Amino acid sequence: VLFVHATVHPARVNALPPYGAEVRRGAGTYDDAVRAATQEAGTEGWLIASDTSWPGYTEVPRDIMQGYRIMADEAADQWAGPPPTHVFIQGGVGGVAAAVSVHMRARFTPVPKIVVVEPDRAACLLTSAENGALTALDGDLDTVMAGLACGEPSLLAWDELSRSADAFMSIADETAREAVNLLADQGIVACESGVAGLAGAILAAKERSSQILLGLGTESRVLTFNTEGATGV
């Protein structure tokens, strides 16, 4: 039984039942869907499978984050030459970013700088970094980057990123759209959530202040991940 939030595109929802899933769409945000799933699982005695973790619920999210590391491992296997100097990775609740961060340390020396990129309307990791503690956001978190519209960081992810991330940044919806179009021109299919890391890298490379802060220059080797295909129509 899959719980999805209000802004999940119908094409994604409609793709799930053929795999045997029952889909329940609720109001609100991703975080509301997690809460609904948790409540229903408690009533029905179900196992919760979520990459958001909280005190007392860490085992399954840790396994999911281990799964995310496969993506980073495949990228490291294909990487040729000196290691990347920078990795720009999308945020959300932080599970993917934390998994990539861990694997970059395992595979590359020196370790590349990790930059976490979020929507400016749902920047819970950036806000947590600014506050020096895990911080949840309220509101509708309305962004075209629906897969990253999360207001509550994962506890496990924050434990990793609070130590290992070199920078956090947020981007506007239009910046993500521009990155989607850029990839489309190269024949690469993506959606706004999946290209947030690339969009952040492009934006940071254009700004002198971020170039200096992150050490970005003509000799930089930047790794990003396209984590989602087209949303569909």
Side-chain angles (χ1 to χ4, degrees):
V1 180
L2 302 181
F3 291 76
V4 300
H5 55 290
T7 59
V8 175
H9 196 282
R12 295 204 186 280
V13 176
N14 295 337
L16 298 171
Y19 292 95
E22 175 189 336
V23 182
R24 299 185 185 180
R25 184 192 286 273
T29 65
Y30 170 84
D31 308 292
D32 293 320
V34 172
R35 283 189 284 269
T38 303
Q39 181 177 357
E40 190 72 8
T43 301
E44 299 290 342
W46 295 341
L47 173 70
I48 309 167
S50 168
D51 68 348
T52 299
S53 61
W54 53 85
Y57 178 71
T58 57
E59 184 175 349
V60 172
R62 182 177 287 109
D63 288 342
I64 292 173
M65 289 168 63
Q66 286 286 81
Y68 292 149
R69 289 182 64 175
I70 294 174
M71 174 183 70
D73 199 44
E74 290 174 343
D77 284 344
Q78 296 172 44
W79 189 274
T85 57
H86 300 76
V87 176
F88 285 76
I89 183 68
Q90 37 273 26
V93 300
V96 169
V100 168
S101 174
V102 169
H103 212 75
M104 292 300 101
R105 289 202 307 274
R107 291 295 305 267
F108 291 118
T109 303
V111 179
K113 291 182 178 179
I114 304 296
V115 183
V116 180
V117 186
E118 299 174 277
D120 56 6
R121 299 175 185 173
C124 61
L125 297 168
L126 172 60
T127 303
S128 297
E130 291 172 337
N131 292 340
L134 191 150
T135 304
L137 302 179
D138 296 321
D140 60 13
L141 311 177
D142 183 26
T143 170
V144 70
M145 290 169 272
L148 307 178
C150 308
E152 299 182 16
S154 168
L155 176 63
L156 283 176
W158 177 245
D159 284 346
E160 163 65 22
L161 295 173
S162 63
R163 299 190 303 266
S164 63
D166 295 276
F168 297 83
M169 65 182 292
S170 64
I171 61 172
D173 282 357
E174 185 55 36
T175 303
R177 290 192 183 98
E178 290 172 357
V180 170
N181 292 335
L182 176 66
L183 290 183
D185 289 342
Q186 303 300 316
I188 300 173
V189 178
C191 72
E192 290 82 0
S193 298
V195 302
L198 173 63
I202 294 172
L203 183 63
K206 293 179 179 178
E207 299 289 340
R208 182 58 180 163
S209 58
S210 56
Q211 291 174 12
I212 295 172
L213 179 66
L214 298 174
L216 277 172
T218 56
E219 301 300 315
S220 297
R221 299 175 298 277
V222 179
L223 172 62
T224 68
F225 293 86
N226 174 14
T227 53
E228 294 186 41
T231 300
V233 178

